[in-house]
Amino acid sequence: MDPHSAPSNNGPNAIEFRDVRFAIRGHELIGGLNLAVRRGETLVLLGRSGSGKTTTLKLINRLLEPSAGEVSVEGRSTAAWDPIRLRRSIGYVIQEVGLFPHFTVERNIGLVPSIEGWPRARVRERVQTLLRLVGLDPSLAGRYPAELSGGQRQRVGVARALAADPPILLMDEPFGALDPITRAELQREFRDLQARIGKTVVFVTHDLSEALILASRIGLFEGGRLTGVYTPQEFHESDDPDCAAYRNAFRARPIQT
């Protein structure tokens, strides 16, 4: 499948990369990236460490600026966005969650709405709603991150990213540090949650099984370049050497005991 072909949909894409390049001190980390992310899909960026996945993610919310080309969000170049406004309109979930340890769960989740000037009662109601949405008891609102399990903290991180109801979520290996059972539970829960809320999600992982569970489409990265974009079924059936290498590595993984 041609990675440079833009998907057709009704209206503008949520995110677009047009001939994007990113380099540091002459070393190119991303080269010639053309990619369109459809509204409401979960696009998984799959690739080994150092392939350019996280760099691509950070170009969306202007944590990094492209060396060449253009990234657009909601039909507008990121260069034209105020960076703070852009980041507040995009949920961001990372592997280590990044919760403020001295904030309660409620204060962590309600941070962006509070900054945006929401009334206190509305913030509290939103926090309660989100805790239920991510499968947590609302009674946890008064606890601190250190009092929660890893899976609970990750759920709080997802709730915080959803707090101001952003149209786009960026997720960078969000479940990677969890034990296999908790990770599998959160993958299933997030897939079901996404089916209900229909956000545009860009999800970074190096794990093929996670990609196949969560993705509407999979963008495969190798050496800083997008080598193809596939539905999960197309990835299974592709004779592209990079896809085959991933499938073979996945099948050859030893059973963990």
Side-chain angles (χ1 to χ4, degrees), residues 84-100:
I84 294 175
R85 176 55 51 196
L86 177 65
R87 290 168 196 154
R88 287 183 187 172
S89 67
I90 295 175
Y92 194 37
V93 187
I94 59 176
Q95 183 177 122
E96 298 300 330
V97 186
L99 300 179
F100 293 105

Side-chain angles (χ1 to χ4, degrees), residues 171-186:
M171 308 186 73
D172 192 0
E173 302 271 9
F175 311 139
L178 301 173
D179 65 85
I181 294 175
T182 303
R183 182 173 185 171
E185 289 174 350
L186 282 175

Side-chain angles (χ1 to χ4, degrees), residues 3-5 16-23 28 30-36 59 66-72 224-226:
H4 300 280
S5 61
E16 291 191 35
F17 294 81
R18 301 184 189 91
D19 298 317
V20 170
R21 176 178 172 270
F22 179 78
E28 189 172 80
I30 298 290
L33 177 57
N34 288 278
L35 176 65
L59 289 166
S67 304
E70 182 182 67
V71 183
S72 65
R225 294 190 177 271
L226 180 68

Side-chain angles (χ1 to χ4, degrees), residues 103-212:
F103 283 10
T104 63
V105 166
E106 180 173 326
R107 194 173 175 193
N108 266 288
I109 294 174
L111 181 61
V112 172
S114 296
I115 291 172
E116 292 290 289
W118 290 26
R120 186 173 298 178
R122 184 185 175 196
V123 173
R124 184 172 293 114
E125 181 181 0
R126 179 65 173 162
V127 169
Q128 297 287 305
T129 298
L130 286 169
L131 286 171
R132 294 187 186 94
L133 189 67
V134 299
L136 291 175
D137 192 315
S139 66
L140 295 176
R143 294 193 185 180
Y144 290 85
E147 301 176 283
L148 306 178
S149 69
Q152 288 173 327
R153 286 194 297 271
Q154 206 64 53
R155 289 179 174 90
V156 172
V158 173
R160 183 176 65 178
L162 292 170
D165 200 21
I168 296 170
L169 289 182
L170 306 181
M171 308 186 73
D172 192 0
E173 302 271 9
F175 311 139
L178 301 173
D179 65 85
I181 294 175
T182 303
R183 182 173 185 171
E185 289 174 350
L186 282 175
Q187 288 167 350
R188 290 193 298 270
E189 290 172 9
F190 181 76
R191 180 187 60 196
D192 295 343
L193 176 63
Q194 168 64 349
R196 297 199 302 275
I197 63 177
K199 300 295 183 182
T200 301
V201 179
V202 183
F203 190 109
V204 164
T205 187
H206 63 269
D207 187 283
L208 178 57
S209 62
E210 185 164 72
L212 294 172

